[in-house]
Amino acid sequence: MTVKSEAAMRVAYVGARLLDPASNLDNAGGLITEGEHIVDLGPHVIADGLSSDIEIVDCRGLCLAPGLVDIRVQLREPGEEHKGTLASGGRAATAGGITSMVCLPNTRPVIDDVSVVEFVARRARLLGLTKVYPYAAVTKGLDGSDLAEMGMLAEAGAVAFTDGVKAVANAKLMRQALLYARTFDLLIVEHPEEPTLAAGGAMNAGEVATRLGLVGIPREAEVIMVERDIHLVRMTGGRLHFSHLSTAAAIDAVRQAKASGLAITCDTAPPYFALNEHAVGEYRTFAKLSPPLRTEEDRMAVILGLLDGTIDAIASDHAPEDEDAKRLPFAQAAFGGIGLETLLAISLSLYHNGHLSMLDVLRLITCKPASLMGLPAGRLTKGGRADLTVFDPERPWQIREHELYSKSKNTPFDYRPVQGRVVMTVVDGRRVFTLDG
Amino acid sequence: MSSGDPPPFFRHRHLLGIEGLVPPEISLILDLSEVYVEQNRRADKKQALLRGRTIINLFFEASTRTSTSFVLAGKRLGADVIEMSVSSSSIRKGETVIDTAMTLNAMHPDVLVVRHPESGAVKLLSEKVNCAVINAGDGSHEHPTQALLDALTIRRRKGRLHGLKVAICGDILHSRVARSNIHLLNIMGAQVRVVAPRTLLPRAVERLGVEVFHRMEDGIDGCDIVMMLRLQTERMQGTYFPSIREYFHFFGLDYEKLNRASADALIMHPGPMNRGVEIDSVVADDIGRSAIREQVEMGVAVRMACLDLLARSDIEHDPRNV
């Protein structure tokens, strides 16, 4: 007796709007998967004429795009499983249409050792949800003083190096990191915030912080670190990526650095183009993010940076925090908001508001982040992995924290009405999420 | 108005700050306070208006004068007043402000008077309890009863608030007193100036509706009120000015600088004073010009008025009543 395993089955997704930003494909058509791979796609793939042993999934005109690629996620496992786990993060990611994500090394223990890299990769593989690629730490223990074993960590599977939610404050050490990483052509990812200028701050420095009596984090904390690092890249020839830029000045600095030919890239996160500092309202700790929500002028500059290509990608910046960490006076509450399940909907606001085309929005959350991190993801190609997202770009819904899959519920977008919802997520040919069942 | 009348309607359930109040509400509190000023000057200071009501003074931060002032206010209205200093007990055991609030709420107090070192903490607590909450100072945010007692002092001395020129001088950055006073004086039509070295001014402070000065001589020029603030060294991390000597030289109030103010300018200070740091002792003790002692007296009356309004007003539990 032969048993036909599910993995080897052929599935045809028909009647879809096929979207692949990597090849500028935007056409009605279908896609066939066999096992873990895509075997065919295009306008010619229609239900008629397919052999009877192929399972047919009627996409009813919904968008079929590459699975989303999220390059900045905190999963909290190992060490803080009460806030989130690889499993809960995986479920939230699949509900958000994300099929590959890169997780930060600020776990307990820190991902600065080959064994922890392997632990995360193995656990995620066993779960079989969204694929997880770890960052490893630039410095041992994220303490900013000694370089981690970058070469060996890369061999073990670390896709890039970052000290997570901390900047590498010591300029000399950052220079060494960039130089050393260049030996192996590795990418360094920086959280650009000058720590002494930001120390003690809880939100953006300005009128709102002054009214609320909160210590502000000046916008200059971001641009100072960006400009320092740009000089260090010029000095070393290294490759550097800035995470979650939030200020007009920093984006402008990156714009100029790119124009001068430096190997510098950057991303932003949905809160920085969809919210401003007023979202803090009267001490809403869910809006306490790092970097802090900035001014309306900065928000518009982030959108402009996305429009003109200065900002290369959008990442969710998913940072789960439990009630104990958030239900505190604002200054004492933890920084961070969750974002896996809202990444697509908030990003699509750029399309619905007329800033970007649908393909351009998708490019920022699929092939561009994948290519920044060198991941085999983010595009639809024959022979490529069958990582897919099926979504309805028009479907309206309201973000409600208690309806999200994430273990922690700290979304800065609670109650926000949005448009665009993931209907199905496919990882390696397996349907890992279907809306309403 | 007399203290035995039913309390006038006050649309707020709590008193968390001055921002958001309207002129008639401020006038209402000040008018009621006048009644209590008179009562406090009598030999028999005690009434039974709040008999049976429980007021808990919940202080997460050390305080003597504000706490005592609230205790006296509550007792003179006939309430049972409990003092709780949380800074040294529960917090060390890991209890959060919410835990404390829930615990106390279960004891059915009528009013919680709360001081906390973090901005916004009193509001957070107010969302978790069923009784009225009075903010007795939260971080660098607001200290509404201080602004009200300052306003009462000014109104009694000057007969009005509208049109007065008021200079608030010193550590504006860390001062909840400054923020509440700026809001109140603006609401009531005074012209407010702030005077401080740039390091002790918060960003965009001019957006609160004040004129900003960095030289005392210019800042208090022609002012009717000179309000000095205490240097909050306990909130300072790092350097804000080079030395106390230099600070006093440029920003301490002495007669030489005071001469630039209006001839009958009133000197105020929320206390406790750092003599020789932000104010010269001789100036502070000048009975003719300093209203510092009177501020303390007005404090009890204002707090009686606030307790009366919040404890006796029967407002439905409606989230719009903040």
Side-chain angles (χ1 to χ4, degrees):
Chain A
M1 187 176 72
T2 55
V3 177
K4 200 172 184 180
S5 75
E6 191 196 358
M9 274 182 61
R10 281 155 66 93
V11 181
Y13 298 85
V14 298
R17 176 180 170 187
L18 279 182
L19 291 155
D20 181 37
S23 58
N24 284 319
L25 170 70
D26 182 356
N27 246 326
L31 179 149
I32 301 175
T33 66
E34 181 168 355
E36 299 174 346
H37 297 93
I38 297 169
V39 292
D40 198 7
L41 77 155
H44 59 279
V45 176
I46 51 173
D48 293 349
L50 291 173
S51 60
S52 59
D53 62 339
I54 297 183
E55 182 188 347
I56 291 177
V57 177
D58 183 0
C59 293
R60 307 183 312 275
L62 298 174
C63 293
L64 174 57
L68 310 189
V69 177
D70 187 352
I71 57 171
R72 193 174 178 86
V73 177
Q74 298 183 57
L75 292 173
R76 306 289 185 220
E77 184 180 352
E80 290 183 293
E81 286 82 356
H82 59 291
K83 295 183 178 179
T85 61
L86 286 158
S88 68
R91 277 193 298 277
T94 56
I98 295 159
T99 56
S100 296
M101 56 183 165
V102 189
C103 65
L104 291 188
N106 56 334
T107 46
R108 296 178 188 173
V110 170
I111 306 181
D112 61 357
D113 188 274
V114 168
S115 63
V116 191
V117 172
E118 287 172 347
F119 166 81
V120 171
R122 186 174 66 250
R123 282 275 296 146
R125 217 170 31 244
L126 287 173
L127 286 165
L129 296 164
T130 291
K131 296 168 185 172
V132 178
Y133 300 90
Y135 284 112
V138 176
T139 65
K140 284 178 191 155
L142 306 173
D143 66 1
S145 52
D146 298 303
L147 289 182
E149 294 167 331
M150 294 166 76
M152 282 173 34
L153 287 159
E155 268 186 0
V159 294
F161 293 82
T162 177
D163 272 359
V165 297
K166 287 159 71 176
V168 178
N170 182 319
K172 186 175 177 186
L173 190 76
M174 186 59 160
R175 184 190 71 170
Q176 300 297 73
L178 285 162
L179 264 180
Y180 188 74
R182 205 181 149 195
T183 315
F184 304 97
D185 193 29
L186 302 174
L187 178 69
I188 306 275
V189 176
E190 177 77 298
H191 163 79
E193 186 173 61
E194 207 294 309
T196 58
L197 211 46
M203 68 172 294
N204 186 49
E207 183 186 347
V208 182
T210 294
R211 279 185 188 279
L212 295 175
L214 293 171
V215 180
I217 299 174
R219 294 184 286 172
E220 289 76 6
E222 183 168 287
V223 71
I224 285 172
M225 193 53 90
V226 165
E227 291 191 339
R228 182 203 77 168
D229 284 351
I230 288 170
H231 282 291
L232 293 174
V233 168
R234 192 173 285 127
M235 193 176 170
T236 58
R239 285 203 293 137
L240 184 64
H241 178 85
F242 293 112
S243 288
H244 49 214
L245 289 190
S246 65
T247 63
I251 292 164
D252 207 38
V254 169
R255 186 176 285 123
Q256 288 174 35
K258 283 184 158 190
S260 71
L262 294 178
I264 283 173
T265 53
C266 67
D267 66 63
T268 192
Y272 305 109
F273 59 80
L275 299 172
N276 64 28
E277 60 188 340
H278 291 283
V280 169
E282 288 200 337
Y283 306 102
R284 274 190 69 231
T285 57
F286 279 12
K288 182 177 177 181
L289 306 177
S290 175
L293 295 169
R294 306 288 187 180
T295 64
E296 179 61 13
E297 181 194 2
D298 290 308
R299 188 182 79 86
M300 294 311 292
V302 170
I303 292 174
L304 193 65
L306 289 163
L307 290 183
D308 72 7
T310 302
I311 300 175
D312 300 273
I314 299 171
S316 74
D317 211 2
H318 182 77
E321 292 293 348
D322 64 351
E323 278 201 18
D324 286 348
K326 281 290 189 184
R327 217 174 60 161
L328 290 170
F330 198 88
Q332 294 173 356
F335 285 98
I338 57 170
L340 290 170
E341 289 153 88
T342 52
L343 174 64
L344 179 70
I346 305 291
S347 297
L348 280 176
S349 68
L350 295 165
Y351 160 71
H352 291 301
N353 292 336
H355 296 304
L356 289 173
S357 72
M358 175 83 83
L359 273 184
D360 286 338
V361 171
L362 290 175
R363 189 171 285 119
L364 290 160
I365 47 180
T366 58
C367 57
K368 287 192 80 176
S371 85
L372 284 172
M373 296 296 148
L375 304 180
R379 55 186 60 211
L380 300 179
T381 49
K382 275 189 201 177
R385 290 276 171 174
D387 294 342
L388 313 171
T389 303
V390 180
F391 66 95
D392 180 347
E394 308 299 332
R395 181 163 169 162
W397 59 294
Q398 190 183 33
I399 296 168
R400 297 300 305 274
E401 43 118 340
H402 63 272
E403 290 171 6
L404 299 176
Y405 285 83
S406 175
K407 193 166 186 176
S408 291
K409 307 295 184 189
N410 52 309
T411 170
F413 296 110
D414 198 18
Y415 288 97
R416 189 183 177 96
V418 288
Q419 209 176 344
R421 186 132 206 204
V422 174
V423 174
M424 185 186 293
T425 306
V426 177
V427 173
D428 284 341
R430 289 173 294 111
R431 267 162 274 164
V432 289
F433 171 79
T434 309
L435 186 65
D436 305 324
Chain B
M1 199 183 303
S2 90
S3 58
D5 294 340
F9 181 74
F10 188 63
R11 76 185 167 112
H12 302 275
R13 184 157 182 267
H14 308 296
L15 180 64
L16 300 178
I18 297 294
E19 200 176 18
L21 297 184
V22 292
E25 292 168 339
I26 292 168
S27 298
L28 168 71
I29 299 171
L30 299 185
D31 293 345
L32 186 57
S33 302
E34 292 281 6
V35 175
Y36 290 119
V37 172
E38 295 313 312
Q39 181 184 318
N40 288 337
R41 288 181 176 178
R42 290 201 299 263
D44 178 15
K45 299 177 176 61
K46 195 155 173 173
Q47 282 200 21
L49 276 179
L50 297 190
R51 188 166 57 198
R53 314 277 167 130
T54 307
I55 297 166
I56 300 182
N57 267 8
L58 181 58
F59 278 57
F60 292 86
E61 192 181 66
S63 156
T64 306
R65 68 177 59 208
T66 305
S67 167
T68 309
S69 183
F70 270 109
V71 170
L72 276 180
K75 288 191 169 172
R76 286 182 184 173
L77 290 169
D80 296 317
V81 184
I82 316 290
E83 281 190 276
M84 280 195 58
S85 173
V86 196
S87 52
S88 54
S89 55
S90 308
I91 293 289
R92 286 203 188 139
K93 295 177 196 158
E95 188 172 83
T96 66
V97 62
I98 301 284
D99 296 333
T100 311
M102 308 273 249
T103 305
L104 294 179
N105 192 47
M107 300 178 191
H108 299 290
D110 298 284
V111 183
L112 281 178
V113 177
V114 187
R115 167 167 288 191
H116 197 283
E118 298 291 357
S119 303
V122 180
K123 179 177 191 307
L124 177 67
L125 185 145
S126 74
E127 290 162 1
K128 308 293 172 192
V129 297
N130 301 316
C131 63
V133 173
I134 295 178
N135 181 2
D138 64 326
S140 305
H141 178 222
E142 283 232 38
H143 189 356
T145 55
Q146 178 70 43
L148 287 161
L149 75 87
D150 289 341
L152 183 64
T153 309
I154 296 170
R155 202 177 73 166
R156 286 171 66 90
R157 285 282 193 111
K158 298 287 182 188
R160 65 195 164 101
L161 294 166
H162 189 270
L164 291 177
K165 277 189 195 171
V166 184
I168 305 177
C169 313
D171 185 359
I172 311 288
L173 181 66
H174 300 103
S175 177
R176 52 199 176 209
V177 174
R179 280 170 182 76
S180 284
N181 265 303
I182 288 169
H183 294 316
L184 188 147
L185 292 164
N186 272 327
I187 292 166
M188 300 307 279
Q191 295 170 33
V192 188
R193 301 165 168 200
V194 293
V195 190
R198 290 176 192 273
T199 46
L200 289 176
L201 283 169
R203 265 202 183 188
V205 68
E206 67 285 352
R207 303 249 188 98
L208 302 188
V210 296
E211 218 180 329
V212 181
F213 292 86
H214 308 294
R215 276 173 51 85
M216 278 289 275
E217 290 80 355
D218 301 338
I220 65 176
D221 191 39
C223 278
D224 303 294
I225 313 287
V226 180
M227 195 181 278
M228 302 306 296
L229 297 174
R230 187 173 66 85
L231 269 181
Q232 310 231 344
T233 45
E234 72 278 12
R235 292 187 192 280
M236 293 184 189
Q237 291 164 341
T239 307
Y240 289 84
F241 51 88
S243 71
I244 295 289
R245 191 171 72 143
E246 173 151 330
Y247 183 82
F248 183 72
H249 180 71
F250 290 105
F251 297 98
L253 186 66
D254 54 21
Y255 276 121
E256 200 181 328
K257 297 191 189 85
L258 188 58
N259 284 338
R260 297 289 294 270
S262 140
D264 60 348
L266 199 62
I267 300 157
M268 304 178 76
H269 192 298
M273 283 181 284
N274 296 309
R275 291 165 181 269
V277 178
E278 64 253 354
I279 191 163
D280 191 337
S281 260
V282 194
V283 177
D285 297 336
D286 182 341
I287 301 170
R289 309 192 69 172
S290 166
I292 297 171
R293 300 277 168 263
E294 199 173 326
Q295 285 174 272
V296 179
E297 183 190 358
M298 294 307 118
V300 180
V302 157
R303 283 157 187 144
M304 289 170 81
C306 295
L307 289 170
D308 183 5
L309 284 173
L310 293 175
R312 286 205 296 154
S313 288
D314 189 20
I315 298 183
E316 288 293 304
H317 186 125
D318 181 340
R320 284 169 303 179
N321 294 324
V322 293

